[in-house]
Amino acid sequence: MDAVTFNPPVLSFGNIFDIGAARINGFIENHSILPQKFCFMSLTKEIEVETDKGCGIVFPGEKYPVSFAYKPSIENGFEEGHIDCKISTGKICARELKLKF
């Protein structure tokens, strides 16, 4: 089992029309006994992650709430992709997770 998981594991924004937008509320859960720092990186202009400026700390056993918003641009339309999230336990222990949408 991974030390940090996302719920929902895949973001499904559903049908979005022209100038519409969609939001999904979820959480990051820490299954380890150590605090985990996280930071969402390389976000496109269509994706917004509402946390403390995209970064934070999720403590052992904690479910950290996070909100994802998607607003497709007129020129790009809908494109499947992923959101990169860097997880680190210390200065030398880090890994990257990808959250699909």
Side-chain angles (χ1 to χ4, degrees):
M1 175 168 60
D2 286 332
V4 175
T5 56
F6 293 101
N7 190 356
V10 176
L11 301 176
S12 179
F13 291 102
N15 295 326
I16 305 170
F17 300 100
D18 292 338
I19 59 171
R23 180 175 310 281
I24 295 175
N25 294 318
F27 57 86
I28 302 169
E29 186 171 4
N30 183 357
H31 304 280
S32 77
I33 59 171
L34 298 171
Q36 304 286 322
K37 295 178 184 176
F38 66 89
C39 191
F40 292 96
M41 307 174 317
S42 305
L43 296 173
T44 66
K45 66 179 182 176
E46 292 86 9
I47 294 286
E48 183 179 311
V49 180
E50 294 180 6
T51 63
D52 297 327
K53 298 183 181 174
C55 298
I57 298 174
V58 59
F59 293 99
E62 181 184 16
K63 292 182 179 180
Y64 189 99
V66 63
S67 180
F68 301 93
Y70 179 73
K71 183 176 183 180
S73 62
I74 294 172
E75 56 273 0
N76 290 340
F78 177 78
E79 292 184 21
E80 290 184 1
H82 62 272
I83 298 171
D84 293 328
C85 183
K86 183 176 179 182
I87 307 287
S88 62
T89 306
K91 292 184 180 189
I92 60 171
C93 184
R95 65 189 184 115
E96 211 172 289
L97 300 177
K98 296 185 182 298
L99 182 57
K100 294 181 182 179
F101 66 88

